Amino acid sequence: MQAAATVAAKQALRQKTTAARKALAVGYRQSASARMLNTLYDQPAFEAAQTIFLYASMADEVQLDALMEHCLSLGKTVCLPQITGPGTMEAAVLPSMDALVTGKFGIRTINPACRQLLDARTIDLIIVPGAAFDAAGRRLGLGAGYYDRFMAERAPQASRIALTFDCQMVDEVPVEPHDQMVNLVITETKLLKVSD
């Protein structure tokens, strides 16, 4: 597939899967998220991880607040994305749930008053968001490249797990050379191990 065609295919797929995700009923989204988290908790990569990078989910995404709370209760270090420039981000430590505040674009972030950055090379596990995934671990991001860059350049050592709704799973995600893969995909009904 030519580069322009790949970009167009990605854009079309992104619109389709994000629309499907937005169409899920709130109650379904909550129960499906809880099922995914229960599966995640049983994974060796999660059990072994001391430092976990995840994200403060928006209303239509897999709901991760319970995951943050669980990690903090286990004494794991939780970090969230801190945007530092166009296409670049760092890991900021979440000291407690009440340190979350609503930032730009309605995205929850860590209160600047208590924000502390962490060396990304210490991250053991990244919970990777995305618009679509396939069984081979290919991922379609939201288009800005933040996670691809972060995983490739800042935290290449970390295991990568995607939590995603069944409606975001496709036969094959169109990819470009810079696109990063995930090791494991968890949906509300499936556990797909891609690689160690």
PDB file of all heavy atoms in Angstrom, residues 49-56 64 67 71 77-83 89-93 118 120 122-129 146-147 150-151 155 158-161:
ATOM      1  N   ALA A  49       5.042  -6.049  37.238  1.00  0.00           N
ATOM      2  CA  ALA A  49       5.353  -4.632  37.005  1.00  0.00           C
ATOM      3  C   ALA A  49       5.344  -3.820  38.297  1.00  0.00           C
ATOM      4  O   ALA A  49       4.390  -3.886  39.068  1.00  0.00           O
ATOM      5  CB  ALA A  49       4.364  -4.038  36.007  1.00  0.00           C
ATOM      6  N   GLN A  50       6.404  -3.061  38.503  1.00  0.00           N
ATOM      7  CA  GLN A  50       6.459  -2.134  39.641  1.00  0.00           C
ATOM      8  C   GLN A  50       6.028  -0.732  39.229  1.00  0.00           C
ATOM      9  O   GLN A  50       5.463   0.008  40.024  1.00  0.00           O
ATOM     10  CB  GLN A  50       7.897  -2.086  40.201  1.00  0.00           C
ATOM     11  CG  GLN A  50       8.288  -3.314  40.984  1.00  0.00           C
ATOM     12  CD  GLN A  50       7.314  -3.596  42.126  1.00  0.00           C
ATOM     13  OE1 GLN A  50       7.087  -2.772  42.998  1.00  0.00           O
ATOM     14  NE2 GLN A  50       6.704  -4.776  42.105  1.00  0.00           N
ATOM     15  N   THR A  51       6.325  -0.369  37.964  1.00  0.00           N
ATOM     16  CA  THR A  51       5.990   0.970  37.460  1.00  0.00           C
ATOM     17  C   THR A  51       5.134   0.824  36.213  1.00  0.00           C
ATOM     18  O   THR A  51       5.555   0.204  35.231  1.00  0.00           O
ATOM     19  CB  THR A  51       7.267   1.768  37.141  1.00  0.00           C
ATOM     20  OG1 THR A  51       8.051   1.856  38.344  1.00  0.00           O
ATOM     21  CG2 THR A  51       6.939   3.172  36.670  1.00  0.00           C
ATOM     22  N   ILE A  52       3.921   1.362  36.262  1.00  0.00           N
ATOM     23  CA  ILE A  52       2.947   1.191  35.177  1.00  0.00           C
ATOM     24  C   ILE A  52       2.549   2.548  34.621  1.00  0.00           C
ATOM     25  O   ILE A  52       2.169   3.458  35.365  1.00  0.00           O
ATOM     26  CB  ILE A  52       1.707   0.423  35.680  1.00  0.00           C
ATOM     27  CG1 ILE A  52       2.128  -0.970  36.170  1.00  0.00           C
ATOM     28  CG2 ILE A  52       0.641   0.318  34.583  1.00  0.00           C
ATOM     29  CD1 ILE A  52       1.007  -1.831  36.700  1.00  0.00           C
ATOM     30  N   PHE A  53       2.656   2.666  33.301  1.00  0.00           N
ATOM     31  CA  PHE A  53       2.278   3.889  32.593  1.00  0.00           C
ATOM     32  C   PHE A  53       0.902   3.648  31.990  1.00  0.00           C
ATOM     33  O   PHE A  53       0.713   2.707  31.213  1.00  0.00           O
ATOM     34  CB  PHE A  53       3.311   4.151  31.489  1.00  0.00           C
ATOM     35  CG  PHE A  53       3.125   5.444  30.732  1.00  0.00           C
ATOM     36  CD1 PHE A  53       3.686   6.622  31.197  1.00  0.00           C
ATOM     37  CD2 PHE A  53       2.420   5.478  29.540  1.00  0.00           C
ATOM     38  CE1 PHE A  53       3.547   7.816  30.493  1.00  0.00           C
ATOM     39  CE2 PHE A  53       2.274   6.657  28.822  1.00  0.00           C
ATOM     40  CZ  PHE A  53       2.847   7.833  29.303  1.00  0.00           C
ATOM     41  N   LEU A  54      -0.066   4.461  32.375  1.00  0.00           N
ATOM     42  CA  LEU A  54      -1.404   4.320  31.788  1.00  0.00           C
ATOM     43  C   LEU A  54      -1.977   5.701  31.548  1.00  0.00           C
ATOM     44  O   LEU A  54      -1.226   6.679  31.559  1.00  0.00           O
ATOM     45  CB  LEU A  54      -2.296   3.426  32.658  1.00  0.00           C
ATOM     46  CG  LEU A  54      -2.337   3.659  34.164  1.00  0.00           C
ATOM     47  CD1 LEU A  54      -3.369   4.700  34.511  1.00  0.00           C
ATOM     48  CD2 LEU A  54      -2.691   2.363  34.865  1.00  0.00           C
ATOM     49  N   TYR A  55      -3.243   5.796  31.278  1.00  0.00           N
ATOM     50  CA  TYR A  55      -3.815   7.096  30.923  1.00  0.00           C
ATOM     51  C   TYR A  55      -5.127   7.309  31.667  1.00  0.00           C
ATOM     52  O   TYR A  55      -5.790   6.349  32.065  1.00  0.00           O
ATOM     53  CB  TYR A  55      -4.032   7.207  29.396  1.00  0.00           C
ATOM     54  CG  TYR A  55      -4.878   6.092  28.818  1.00  0.00           C
ATOM     55  CD1 TYR A  55      -6.248   6.256  28.612  1.00  0.00           C
ATOM     56  CD2 TYR A  55      -4.320   4.862  28.490  1.00  0.00           C
ATOM     57  CE1 TYR A  55      -7.031   5.225  28.107  1.00  0.00           C
ATOM     58  CE2 TYR A  55      -5.086   3.823  27.974  1.00  0.00           C
ATOM     59  CZ  TYR A  55      -6.439   4.014  27.791  1.00  0.00           C
ATOM     60  OH  TYR A  55      -7.202   2.993  27.300  1.00  0.00           O
ATOM     61  N   ALA A  56      -5.464   8.574  31.876  1.00  0.00           N
ATOM     62  CA  ALA A  56      -6.733   8.920  32.523  1.00  0.00           C
ATOM     63  C   ALA A  56      -7.796   8.895  31.428  1.00  0.00           C
ATOM     64  O   ALA A  56      -7.827   9.758  30.558  1.00  0.00           O
ATOM     65  CB  ALA A  56      -6.631  10.303  33.161  1.00  0.00           C
ATOM     66  N   LEU A  64     -10.378   3.305  33.277  1.00  0.00           N
ATOM     67  CA  LEU A  64      -9.169   2.857  33.968  1.00  0.00           C
ATOM     68  C   LEU A  64      -9.008   3.384  35.392  1.00  0.00           C
ATOM     69  O   LEU A  64      -7.996   3.108  36.027  1.00  0.00           O
ATOM     70  CB  LEU A  64      -7.926   3.255  33.153  1.00  0.00           C
ATOM     71  CG  LEU A  64      -7.813   2.667  31.745  1.00  0.00           C
ATOM     72  CD1 LEU A  64      -6.486   3.081  31.114  1.00  0.00           C
ATOM     73  CD2 LEU A  64      -7.942   1.148  31.759  1.00  0.00           C
ATOM     74  N   LEU A  67      -8.295   0.702  37.777  1.00  0.00           N
ATOM     75  CA  LEU A  67      -6.931   0.187  37.592  1.00  0.00           C
ATOM     76  C   LEU A  67      -5.937   1.069  38.346  1.00  0.00           C
ATOM     77  O   LEU A  67      -5.045   0.568  39.034  1.00  0.00           O
ATOM     78  CB  LEU A  67      -6.582   0.131  36.101  1.00  0.00           C
ATOM     79  CG  LEU A  67      -5.128  -0.200  35.744  1.00  0.00           C
ATOM     80  CD1 LEU A  67      -4.700  -1.542  36.326  1.00  0.00           C
ATOM     81  CD2 LEU A  67      -4.930  -0.189  34.225  1.00  0.00           C
ATOM     82  N   CYS A  71      -3.634  -0.313  41.396  1.00  0.00           N
ATOM     83  CA  CYS A  71      -2.166  -0.229  41.346  1.00  0.00           C
ATOM     84  C   CYS A  71      -1.621   0.515  42.557  1.00  0.00           C
ATOM     85  O   CYS A  71      -0.644   0.083  43.181  1.00  0.00           O
ATOM     86  CB  CYS A  71      -1.700   0.468  40.073  1.00  0.00           C
ATOM     87  SG  CYS A  71      -1.949  -0.505  38.576  1.00  0.00           S
ATOM     88  N   THR A  77       4.026   1.986  41.295  1.00  0.00           N
ATOM     89  CA  THR A  77       4.135   3.376  40.863  1.00  0.00           C
ATOM     90  C   THR A  77       3.285   3.545  39.608  1.00  0.00           C
ATOM     91  O   THR A  77       3.430   2.792  38.649  1.00  0.00           O
ATOM     92  CB  THR A  77       5.602   3.743  40.543  1.00  0.00           C
ATOM     93  OG1 THR A  77       6.377   3.595  41.727  1.00  0.00           O
ATOM     94  CG2 THR A  77       5.711   5.181  40.043  1.00  0.00           C
ATOM     95  N   VAL A  78       2.374   4.512  39.643  1.00  0.00           N
ATOM     96  CA  VAL A  78       1.499   4.783  38.500  1.00  0.00           C
ATOM     97  C   VAL A  78       1.968   6.076  37.849  1.00  0.00           C
ATOM     98  O   VAL A  78       2.199   7.072  38.544  1.00  0.00           O
ATOM     99  CB  VAL A  78       0.028   4.938  38.958  1.00  0.00           C
ATOM    100  CG1 VAL A  78      -0.863   5.364  37.798  1.00  0.00           C
ATOM    101  CG2 VAL A  78      -0.473   3.629  39.568  1.00  0.00           C
ATOM    102  N   CYS A  79       2.135   6.078  36.537  1.00  0.00           N
ATOM    103  CA  CYS A  79       2.433   7.336  35.859  1.00  0.00           C
ATOM    104  C   CYS A  79       1.519   7.536  34.674  1.00  0.00           C
ATOM    105  O   CYS A  79       1.006   6.582  34.093  1.00  0.00           O
ATOM    106  CB  CYS A  79       3.896   7.462  35.488  1.00  0.00           C
ATOM    107  SG  CYS A  79       4.705   5.988  34.980  1.00  0.00           S
ATOM    108  N   LEU A  80       1.300   8.804  34.361  1.00  0.00           N
ATOM    109  CA  LEU A  80       0.396   9.221  33.296  1.00  0.00           C
ATOM    110  C   LEU A  80       1.160  10.089  32.301  1.00  0.00           C
ATOM    111  O   LEU A  80       2.195  10.655  32.638  1.00  0.00           O
ATOM    112  CB  LEU A  80      -0.768  10.044  33.873  1.00  0.00           C
ATOM    113  CG  LEU A  80      -1.641   9.404  34.945  1.00  0.00           C
ATOM    114  CD1 LEU A  80      -2.739  10.375  35.372  1.00  0.00           C
ATOM    115  CD2 LEU A  80      -2.260   8.111  34.451  1.00  0.00           C
ATOM    116  N   PRO A  81       0.634  10.217  31.080  1.00  0.00           N
ATOM    117  CA  PRO A  81       1.308  11.052  30.083  1.00  0.00           C
ATOM    118  C   PRO A  81       1.301  12.531  30.471  1.00  0.00           C
ATOM    119  O   PRO A  81       0.295  13.041  30.943  1.00  0.00           O
ATOM    120  CB  PRO A  81       0.478  10.855  28.810  1.00  0.00           C
ATOM    121  CG  PRO A  81      -0.460   9.741  29.087  1.00  0.00           C
ATOM    122  CD  PRO A  81      -0.587   9.602  30.560  1.00  0.00           C
ATOM    123  N   GLN A  82       2.443  13.158  30.270  1.00  0.00           N
ATOM    124  CA  GLN A  82       2.551  14.610  30.423  1.00  0.00           C
ATOM    125  C   GLN A  82       3.067  15.147  29.086  1.00  0.00           C
ATOM    126  O   GLN A  82       4.206  14.863  28.707  1.00  0.00           O
ATOM    127  CB  GLN A  82       3.531  14.944  31.564  1.00  0.00           C
ATOM    128  CG  GLN A  82       3.824  16.416  31.722  1.00  0.00           C
ATOM    129  CD  GLN A  82       2.589  17.228  32.044  1.00  0.00           C
ATOM    130  OE1 GLN A  82       1.734  16.793  32.814  1.00  0.00           O
ATOM    131  NE2 GLN A  82       2.469  18.396  31.445  1.00  0.00           N
ATOM    132  N   ILE A  83       2.207  15.843  28.349  1.00  0.00           N
ATOM    133  CA  ILE A  83       2.599  16.369  27.039  1.00  0.00           C
ATOM    134  C   ILE A  83       3.653  17.457  27.234  1.00  0.00           C
ATOM    135  O   ILE A  83       3.452  18.401  28.011  1.00  0.00           O
ATOM    136  CB  ILE A  83       1.373  16.939  26.283  1.00  0.00           C
ATOM    137  CG1 ILE A  83       0.258  15.893  26.164  1.00  0.00           C
ATOM    138  CG2 ILE A  83       1.778  17.465  24.909  1.00  0.00           C
ATOM    139  CD1 ILE A  83       0.624  14.610  25.490  1.00  0.00           C
ATOM    140  N   MET A  89       5.950  13.350  24.823  1.00  0.00           N
ATOM    141  CA  MET A  89       5.409  13.316  26.178  1.00  0.00           C
ATOM    142  C   MET A  89       6.389  12.639  27.114  1.00  0.00           C
ATOM    143  O   MET A  89       7.306  11.922  26.682  1.00  0.00           O
ATOM    144  CB  MET A  89       4.050  12.599  26.211  1.00  0.00           C
ATOM    145  CG  MET A  89       4.057  11.155  25.812  1.00  0.00           C
ATOM    146  SD  MET A  89       2.344  10.518  25.730  1.00  0.00           S
ATOM    147  CE  MET A  89       2.659   8.778  25.403  1.00  0.00           C
ATOM    148  N   GLU A  90       6.200  12.903  28.401  1.00  0.00           N
ATOM    149  CA  GLU A  90       6.995  12.309  29.466  1.00  0.00           C
ATOM    150  C   GLU A  90       6.039  11.551  30.387  1.00  0.00           C
ATOM    151  O   GLU A  90       4.825  11.652  30.241  1.00  0.00           O
ATOM    152  CB  GLU A  90       7.708  13.405  30.276  1.00  0.00           C
ATOM    153  CG  GLU A  90       8.728  14.215  29.504  1.00  0.00           C
ATOM    154  CD  GLU A  90      10.078  13.525  29.395  1.00  0.00           C
ATOM    155  OE1 GLU A  90      10.280  12.500  30.078  1.00  0.00           O
ATOM    156  OE2 GLU A  90      10.914  14.001  28.620  1.00  0.00           O
ATOM    157  N   ALA A  91       6.614  10.836  31.354  1.00  0.00           N
ATOM    158  CA  ALA A  91       5.815  10.122  32.349  1.00  0.00           C
ATOM    159  C   ALA A  91       5.796  10.934  33.637  1.00  0.00           C
ATOM    160  O   ALA A  91       6.851  11.287  34.167  1.00  0.00           O
ATOM    161  CB  ALA A  91       6.428   8.747  32.608  1.00  0.00           C
ATOM    162  N   ALA A  92       4.590  11.248  34.134  1.00  0.00           N
ATOM    163  CA  ALA A  92       4.441  11.978  35.395  1.00  0.00           C
ATOM    164  C   ALA A  92       3.820  11.049  36.430  1.00  0.00           C
ATOM    165  O   ALA A  92       2.861  10.336  36.141  1.00  0.00           O
ATOM    166  CB  ALA A  92       3.568  13.214  35.196  1.00  0.00           C
ATOM    167  N   VAL A  93       4.379  11.047  37.634  1.00  0.00           N
ATOM    168  CA  VAL A  93       3.935  10.139  38.697  1.00  0.00           C
ATOM    169  C   VAL A  93       2.592  10.610  39.273  1.00  0.00           C
ATOM    170  O   VAL A  93       2.415  11.795  39.566  1.00  0.00           O
ATOM    171  CB  VAL A  93       4.986  10.071  39.825  1.00  0.00           C
ATOM    172  CG1 VAL A  93       4.505   9.169  40.963  1.00  0.00           C
ATOM    173  CG2 VAL A  93       6.312   9.566  39.276  1.00  0.00           C
ATOM    174  N   LEU A 118       9.155  11.176  35.828  1.00  0.00           N
ATOM    175  CA  LEU A 118       9.856   9.928  36.129  1.00  0.00           C
ATOM    176  C   LEU A 118      10.695   9.542  34.908  1.00  0.00           C
ATOM    177  O   LEU A 118      10.287   9.802  33.779  1.00  0.00           O
ATOM    178  CB  LEU A 118       8.790   8.855  36.392  1.00  0.00           C
ATOM    179  CG  LEU A 118       9.232   7.449  36.698  1.00  0.00           C
ATOM    180  CD1 LEU A 118       9.245   7.273  38.212  1.00  0.00           C
ATOM    181  CD2 LEU A 118       8.267   6.445  36.102  1.00  0.00           C
ATOM    182  N   ALA A 120      11.543   7.480  32.054  1.00  0.00           N
ATOM    183  CA  ALA A 120      10.728   6.488  31.325  1.00  0.00           C
ATOM    184  C   ALA A 120      11.412   5.134  31.217  1.00  0.00           C
ATOM    185  O   ALA A 120      10.759   4.119  30.978  1.00  0.00           O
ATOM    186  CB  ALA A 120      10.387   7.023  29.936  1.00  0.00           C
ATOM    187  N   THR A 122      12.452   3.441  33.512  1.00  0.00           N
ATOM    188  CA  THR A 122      12.096   2.613  34.679  1.00  0.00           C
ATOM    189  C   THR A 122      10.693   2.011  34.551  1.00  0.00           C
ATOM    190  O   THR A 122      10.249   1.283  35.426  1.00  0.00           O
ATOM    191  CB  THR A 122      12.161   3.435  35.982  1.00  0.00           C
ATOM    192  OG1 THR A 122      11.168   4.470  35.921  1.00  0.00           O
ATOM    193  CG2 THR A 122      13.532   4.065  36.181  1.00  0.00           C
ATOM    194  N   ILE A 123       9.994   2.319  33.458  1.00  0.00           N
ATOM    195  CA  ILE A 123       8.624   1.807  33.278  1.00  0.00           C
ATOM    196  C   ILE A 123       8.660   0.327  32.885  1.00  0.00           C
ATOM    197  O   ILE A 123       9.394  -0.073  31.979  1.00  0.00           O
ATOM    198  CB  ILE A 123       7.885   2.629  32.199  1.00  0.00           C
ATOM    199  CG1 ILE A 123       7.714   4.080  32.670  1.00  0.00           C
ATOM    200  CG2 ILE A 123       6.525   2.004  31.869  1.00  0.00           C
ATOM    201  CD1 ILE A 123       7.236   5.023  31.579  1.00  0.00           C
ATOM    202  N   ASP A 124       7.871  -0.489  33.573  1.00  0.00           N
ATOM    203  CA  ASP A 124       7.809  -1.929  33.282  1.00  0.00           C
ATOM    204  C   ASP A 124       6.685  -2.283  32.314  1.00  0.00           C
ATOM    205  O   ASP A 124       6.782  -3.243  31.568  1.00  0.00           O
ATOM    206  CB  ASP A 124       7.574  -2.717  34.584  1.00  0.00           C
ATOM    207  CG  ASP A 124       8.669  -2.469  35.601  1.00  0.00           C
ATOM    208  OD1 ASP A 124       9.849  -2.632  35.257  1.00  0.00           O
ATOM    209  OD2 ASP A 124       8.339  -2.081  36.741  1.00  0.00           O
ATOM    210  N   LEU A 125       5.589  -1.530  32.389  1.00  0.00           N
ATOM    211  CA  LEU A 125       4.396  -1.879  31.622  1.00  0.00           C
ATOM    212  C   LEU A 125       3.685  -0.609  31.163  1.00  0.00           C
ATOM    213  O   LEU A 125       3.529   0.331  31.944  1.00  0.00           O
ATOM    214  CB  LEU A 125       3.448  -2.713  32.501  1.00  0.00           C
ATOM    215  CG  LEU A 125       2.061  -3.031  31.949  1.00  0.00           C
ATOM    216  CD1 LEU A 125       2.147  -3.882  30.683  1.00  0.00           C
ATOM    217  CD2 LEU A 125       1.213  -3.748  32.998  1.00  0.00           C
ATOM    218  N   ILE A 126       3.276  -0.603  29.896  1.00  0.00           N
ATOM    219  CA  ILE A 126       2.483   0.504  29.361  1.00  0.00           C
ATOM    220  C   ILE A 126       1.114  -0.034  28.958  1.00  0.00           C
ATOM    221  O   ILE A 126       1.023  -1.023  28.216  1.00  0.00           O
ATOM    222  CB  ILE A 126       3.160   1.141  28.123  1.00  0.00           C
ATOM    223  CG1 ILE A 126       4.542   1.703  28.489  1.00  0.00           C
ATOM    224  CG2 ILE A 126       2.274   2.245  27.531  1.00  0.00           C
ATOM    225  CD1 ILE A 126       5.332   2.231  27.305  1.00  0.00           C
ATOM    226  N   ILE A 127       0.050   0.582  29.463  1.00  0.00           N
ATOM    227  CA  ILE A 127      -1.308   0.281  29.011  1.00  0.00           C
ATOM    228  C   ILE A 127      -1.559   1.237  27.850  1.00  0.00           C
ATOM    229  O   ILE A 127      -1.659   2.447  28.041  1.00  0.00           O
ATOM    230  CB  ILE A 127      -2.347   0.476  30.136  1.00  0.00           C
ATOM    231  CG1 ILE A 127      -1.988  -0.389  31.364  1.00  0.00           C
ATOM    232  CG2 ILE A 127      -3.749   0.158  29.618  1.00  0.00           C
ATOM    233  CD1 ILE A 127      -1.961  -1.886  31.120  1.00  0.00           C
ATOM    234  N   VAL A 128      -1.622   0.676  26.651  1.00  0.00           N
ATOM    235  CA  VAL A 128      -1.592   1.481  25.428  1.00  0.00           C
ATOM    236  C   VAL A 128      -2.998   1.737  24.890  1.00  0.00           C
ATOM    237  O   VAL A 128      -3.731   0.792  24.603  1.00  0.00           O
ATOM    238  CB  VAL A 128      -0.765   0.755  24.337  1.00  0.00           C
ATOM    239  CG1 VAL A 128      -0.552   1.667  23.137  1.00  0.00           C
ATOM    240  CG2 VAL A 128       0.576   0.292  24.884  1.00  0.00           C
ATOM    241  N   PRO A 129      -3.378   3.011  24.732  1.00  0.00           N
ATOM    242  CA  PRO A 129      -4.671   3.303  24.123  1.00  0.00           C
ATOM    243  C   PRO A 129      -4.587   3.186  22.605  1.00  0.00           C
ATOM    244  O   PRO A 129      -3.491   3.079  22.044  1.00  0.00           O
ATOM    245  CB  PRO A 129      -4.914   4.761  24.534  1.00  0.00           C
ATOM    246  CG  PRO A 129      -3.543   5.353  24.583  1.00  0.00           C
ATOM    247  CD  PRO A 129      -2.626   4.245  25.045  1.00  0.00           C
ATOM    248  N   TYR A 146       2.140  10.356  19.538  1.00  0.00           N
ATOM    249  CA  TYR A 146       2.733  10.458  20.873  1.00  0.00           C
ATOM    250  C   TYR A 146       3.200   9.100  21.411  1.00  0.00           C
ATOM    251  O   TYR A 146       4.317   8.966  21.887  1.00  0.00           O
ATOM    252  CB  TYR A 146       1.722  11.053  21.871  1.00  0.00           C
ATOM    253  CG  TYR A 146       1.506  12.538  21.733  1.00  0.00           C
ATOM    254  CD1 TYR A 146       0.389  13.045  21.066  1.00  0.00           C
ATOM    255  CD2 TYR A 146       2.409  13.445  22.281  1.00  0.00           C
ATOM    256  CE1 TYR A 146       0.180  14.418  20.952  1.00  0.00           C
ATOM    257  CE2 TYR A 146       2.204  14.816  22.171  1.00  0.00           C
ATOM    258  CZ  TYR A 146       1.094  15.291  21.498  1.00  0.00           C
ATOM    259  OH  TYR A 146       0.901  16.644  21.381  1.00  0.00           O
ATOM    260  N   TYR A 147       2.307   8.115  21.355  1.00  0.00           N
ATOM    261  CA  TYR A 147       2.641   6.819  21.943  1.00  0.00           C
ATOM    262  C   TYR A 147       3.695   6.075  21.133  1.00  0.00           C
ATOM    263  O   TYR A 147       4.573   5.432  21.703  1.00  0.00           O
ATOM    264  CB  TYR A 147       1.374   5.970  22.120  1.00  0.00           C
ATOM    265  CG  TYR A 147       0.688   6.251  23.429  1.00  0.00           C
ATOM    266  CD1 TYR A 147      -0.175   7.331  23.558  1.00  0.00           C
ATOM    267  CD2 TYR A 147       0.919   5.465  24.550  1.00  0.00           C
ATOM    268  CE1 TYR A 147      -0.788   7.621  24.772  1.00  0.00           C
ATOM    269  CE2 TYR A 147       0.311   5.735  25.761  1.00  0.00           C
ATOM    270  CZ  TYR A 147      -0.540   6.816  25.873  1.00  0.00           C
ATOM    271  OH  TYR A 147      -1.128   7.092  27.080  1.00  0.00           O
ATOM    272  N   PHE A 150       6.939   7.647  22.084  1.00  0.00           N
ATOM    273  CA  PHE A 150       7.278   7.375  23.485  1.00  0.00           C
ATOM    274  C   PHE A 150       7.752   5.928  23.661  1.00  0.00           C
ATOM    275  O   PHE A 150       8.758   5.663  24.315  1.00  0.00           O
ATOM    276  CB  PHE A 150       6.061   7.649  24.367  1.00  0.00           C
ATOM    277  CG  PHE A 150       6.319   7.502  25.845  1.00  0.00           C
ATOM    278  CD1 PHE A 150       6.927   8.518  26.563  1.00  0.00           C
ATOM    279  CD2 PHE A 150       5.948   6.343  26.516  1.00  0.00           C
ATOM    280  CE1 PHE A 150       7.169   8.383  27.926  1.00  0.00           C
ATOM    281  CE2 PHE A 150       6.181   6.200  27.871  1.00  0.00           C
ATOM    282  CZ  PHE A 150       6.793   7.222  28.586  1.00  0.00           C
ATOM    283  N   MET A 151       7.016   4.974  23.058  1.00  0.00           N
ATOM    284  CA  MET A 151       7.374   3.564  23.219  1.00  0.00           C
ATOM    285  C   MET A 151       8.705   3.243  22.535  1.00  0.00           C
ATOM    286  O   MET A 151       9.520   2.493  23.062  1.00  0.00           O
ATOM    287  CB  MET A 151       6.256   2.669  22.692  1.00  0.00           C
ATOM    288  CG  MET A 151       5.001   2.745  23.552  1.00  0.00           C
ATOM    289  SD  MET A 151       3.724   1.526  23.130  1.00  0.00           S
ATOM    290  CE  MET A 151       3.140   2.106  21.536  1.00  0.00           C
ATOM    291  N   ALA A 155      10.711   4.492  26.162  1.00  0.00           N
ATOM    292  CA  ALA A 155      10.493   3.316  27.024  1.00  0.00           C
ATOM    293  C   ALA A 155      10.440   2.023  26.215  1.00  0.00           C
ATOM    294  O   ALA A 155       9.474   1.263  26.293  1.00  0.00           O
ATOM    295  CB  ALA A 155       9.206   3.508  27.825  1.00  0.00           C
ATOM    296  N   ALA A 158       9.639  -1.477  28.044  1.00  0.00           N
ATOM    297  CA  ALA A 158       8.373  -1.782  28.728  1.00  0.00           C
ATOM    298  C   ALA A 158       7.518  -2.773  27.945  1.00  0.00           C
ATOM    299  O   ALA A 158       7.449  -2.722  26.720  1.00  0.00           O
ATOM    300  CB  ALA A 158       7.588  -0.485  28.947  1.00  0.00           C
ATOM    301  N   SER A 159       6.839  -3.675  28.672  1.00  0.00           N
ATOM    302  CA  SER A 159       5.811  -4.520  28.059  1.00  0.00           C
ATOM    303  C   SER A 159       4.654  -3.613  27.664  1.00  0.00           C
ATOM    304  O   SER A 159       4.438  -2.578  28.299  1.00  0.00           O
ATOM    305  CB  SER A 159       5.281  -5.559  29.048  1.00  0.00           C
ATOM    306  OG  SER A 159       6.277  -6.484  29.363  1.00  0.00           O
ATOM    307  N   ARG A 160       3.907  -4.019  26.634  1.00  0.00           N
ATOM    308  CA  ARG A 160       2.802  -3.190  26.137  1.00  0.00           C
ATOM    309  C   ARG A 160       1.531  -4.018  26.069  1.00  0.00           C
ATOM    310  O   ARG A 160       1.486  -5.030  25.373  1.00  0.00           O
ATOM    311  CB  ARG A 160       3.126  -2.685  24.736  1.00  0.00           C
ATOM    312  CG  ARG A 160       4.457  -1.958  24.668  1.00  0.00           C
ATOM    313  CD  ARG A 160       4.925  -1.898  23.236  1.00  0.00           C
ATOM    314  NE  ARG A 160       6.229  -1.258  23.117  1.00  0.00           N
ATOM    315  CZ  ARG A 160       6.802  -1.005  21.963  1.00  0.00           C
ATOM    316  NH1 ARG A 160       6.201  -1.330  20.829  1.00  0.00           N
ATOM    317  NH2 ARG A 160       7.987  -0.428  21.925  1.00  0.00           N
ATOM    318  N   ILE A 161       0.518  -3.562  26.776  1.00  0.00           N
ATOM    319  CA  ILE A 161      -0.771  -4.253  26.776  1.00  0.00           C
ATOM    320  C   ILE A 161      -1.852  -3.274  26.339  1.00  0.00           C
ATOM    321  O   ILE A 161      -1.916  -2.143  26.834  1.00  0.00           O
ATOM    322  CB  ILE A 161      -1.102  -4.834  28.170  1.00  0.00           C
ATOM    323  CG1 ILE A 161      -0.066  -5.898  28.567  1.00  0.00           C
ATOM    324  CG2 ILE A 161      -2.515  -5.424  28.184  1.00  0.00           C
ATOM    325  CD1 ILE A 161      -0.294  -6.529  29.932  1.00  0.00           C
TER     326      ILE A 161
END
